[in-house]
Structures are given as structure tokens and as C-alpha cells.
Amino acid sequence: MSVKVLYFASLRETLGYSHETLTLPESVSTIGALRGHLARRGGAWEALGEGRNVRAAINQEMVGPESAVADRDEIAFFPPVTGG
Amino acid sequence: MSVSVQEADFDVGAETAALSAGRLDVGAVVTFVGLVRADKLSGAGSEVSAMTLEHYPGMTEKSLEAIIAEAGGRWQLQGVRVIHRFGRLLPGDRIVFVGVASAHRGDAFAACEFIMDYLKTRAPFWKKEDTPEGGRWVDAREADDSAAARWMT
């Protein structure tokens, strides 16, 4: 399964990446699992770890950690929003 | 019902007038304009000299349209206009416009406040303030979450 992952705002700056295309192992099938998978890269990526205040979207809709990830999804991670 | 996400400023008078132009069924137009404040932030003690707003193109427009659709399901609305700016803004600049037209003021007041409360917690915008000490990302406020939560009844 291949997905596009986008990072925004302070998270983008912390990670030093705005986007990447990832091929996921079968064990990574939810947003929560994907966060864990990325956090295991270590260093700055631990910002995505469990308990960190990170929001997620799949195909531009806000979702929770249990949401399923599908092939070719556009996934985004970002801090809580501060518009308005 | 229309949404714009843009760098350019907007004309409050023209946007307000457009909400009821050519219609005789609109009895109330309520508008909200959000501005950049030159705050002294707690602890930091430094004036904000400018602010840069980042957003998630595509999702931003979709989320604003979804919020307007939800407002339309709760109140009788004749028209809604939401404009949100991004990019670099200075203190005093306009950031956001929400205008709601309805037959009666009750629906227009409530829907305008609802749209702003939901926008604050659901639309993917992020503010970064320029201060003499450098750039600083604005933290989300719990007060914004509780403002949005009070509509969930």
C-alpha cells in the first residue's frame, strides 16, 4: 500500500519535510499505526508519537487514530488548528 | 453560499451588501470580521510585528463548505459568505469575514457565531507570529474547543 503523507505548520518545521510518498507494511492500516510507524524513525519523528498533540486528515477530512488507511490515500498530520 | 481562501484583502461593505442584493426575503444580515491584534502575549512580553497564516489548500475550502452546510441544516439561511486570508498579515489587517443572511436576526446571529466557532477548531489554518525574538507558532486555545463544543447538543 502506497500513500502520500503531508505535514503542516510547526510539525513540518520540526520534521523538515512537507510531504513524502510512503510504502506501508501490511501491519500499518490505521492512522494510529501510521503515527507509530513514523515515530519509530526516532529523533524529530517522535513528535508524531502517541500522546503528542497531533491531528490527522485522510483525503482532506479530519479523522481519529482508529481510521483505516487505504492505498493512494492523501494523509496529513498537523498541530491543532489556529485560524480565524 | 460561497467560500474564498485568498491572500488579498476583502471589502466588508461590498461583501455585506452582496448578501442581500436583489433579494426581498432577507430580513437580517449578520457579519463578523476578525483582525490581527498586536497583542502582548503572556510570558513573552513582546509585540507581534506580523503574522503568517499557513493553510492546507483543498482541505481548507472543503472544511469551510462542510461547516456552512452544517449551519444550513440548523438554521434557515438565505446566504452565507466566508472569506479567510492566508500569507503575511500585519496588526490591524483583516483575517476573516463571515456573513450570514436570513429572514430573521435570531438565525443569522446564531449561525454566524456557530460558523466562527467551528472554523476556529476545524478549518486547517495555522498562525505563526513574528516577534523580536523570532517566529513563534500560536498554540491552540482550549477556550476555542469549548466554544465549539457548546453547539454539540
Side-chain angles (χ1 to χ4, degrees), chain B residues 41-56:
Chain B
L41 286 133
S42 54
S46 50
E47 293 253 343
V48 174
S49 53
M51 170 180 283
T52 304
L53 266 145
E54 177 176 333
H55 76 116
Y56 179 175

Side-chain angles (χ1 to χ4, degrees), chain A:
Chain A
M1 172 161 69
S2 168
V3 295
K4 187 175 182 189
V5 188
L6 309 177
Y7 308 101
F8 288 95
S10 55
L11 193 59
R12 170 176 50 76
E13 288 186 352
T14 300
L15 301 175
Y17 287 91
S18 62
H19 65 278
E20 61 182 315
T21 301
L22 273 180
T23 302
L24 300 179
E26 271 184 33
S27 59
V28 178
S29 60
T30 64
I31 286 292
L34 175 56
R35 275 181 61 171
H37 180 71
L38 292 167
R40 279 193 291 279
R41 288 171 169 174
W45 294 92
E46 286 168 16
L48 282 160
E50 210 177 325
R52 299 299 189 97
N53 204 356
V54 172
R55 305 293 161 91
I58 297 178
N59 299 326
Q60 307 187 345
E61 302 238 1
M62 209 92 82
V63 296
E66 70 294 339
S67 294
V69 173
D71 191 36
R72 297 178 191 228
D73 273 351
E74 176 179 300
I75 295 162
F77 292 111
F78 43 80
V81 302
T82 56

